[in-house]
Amino acid sequence: MTARRGLLAAVASVAVALGAQNAAAGTMHLSGGGTASVGNVAFSQVAMNVTFSGTGSASGTFNCLMAGRSKGVLGGFKLSHIMKVQATPTTGSVTGSIATFSGPGFVIMDGQRANIEVSVWVDVATQQFRLTVLDLAPSPITLDTETFSSGGVNLR
């Protein structure tokens, strides 16, 4: 029994040390997703899994799907049916409860795929996010700030 407690204490010490090392290096992890809305209107299904290095780089994935439930927002993109944005963050930062990241990706609109660059702002405290598609002609498109109505995001 004492050997087992010693082993558990050693494992806990290593976990604490690794956690302190990550915190000292500024490494943070943003994860989660769900359904997001503007007001009472559901727009998006979103998922994100992003690691921030603390030195300005980021890695992971971001996915946002706007389908039939998003009919009100799709008109701004001259779409009638579906839009999917997928991106791979390459830069990012965390300040308090706010995480921002950007990187290359692609958008699928009405069956057509185009390469894009995105920027995403996330406030974990308010459970909100905002997506900007930076290079979608004729100019960048920033969607309204959305609030998670199911699911949510965590930052650790």
Side-chain angles (χ1 to χ4, degrees):
M1 193 66 127
T2 304
R4 179 180 260 171
R5 286 186 186 154
L7 179 61
L8 287 174
V11 169
S13 295
V14 169
V16 168
L18 289 174
Q21 192 175 36
N22 283 347
T27 302
M28 300 290 291
H29 184 238
L30 174 69
S31 62
T35 303
S37 305
V38 174
N40 291 328
V41 179
F43 277 169
S44 303
Q45 293 172 310
V46 65
M48 53 192 87
N49 182 21
V50 182
T51 299
F52 301 87
S53 70
T55 61
S57 66
S59 61
T61 59
F62 172 82
N63 283 282
C64 183
L65 175 65
M66 291 172 272
R69 69 176 60 224
S70 310
K71 190 173 184 178
V73 73
L74 292 176
F77 291 93
K78 297 186 171 71
L79 299 173
S80 59
H81 174 65
I82 188 172
M83 182 171 100
K84 177 191 185 321
V85 172
Q86 183 172 324
T88 303
T90 56
T91 62
S93 64
V94 176
T95 303
S97 68
I98 307 290
T100 58
F101 58 90
S102 60
F106 64 88
V107 61
I108 297 174
M109 300 185 304
D110 287 338
Q112 301 295 314
R113 179 185 164 133
N115 291 329
I116 57 169
E117 185 85 15
V118 303
S119 177
V120 179
W121 169 92
V122 181
D123 187 341
V124 176
T126 62
Q127 292 294 296
Q128 295 179 312
F129 82 98
R130 183 174 51 247
L131 168 64
T132 300
V133 179
L134 298 171
D135 55 358
L136 191 60
S139 63
I141 297 174
T142 300
L143 298 176
D144 290 337
T145 299
E146 297 185 55
T147 303
F148 283 97
S149 50
S150 70
V153 289
N154 296 302
L155 185 60
R156 298 176 199 261

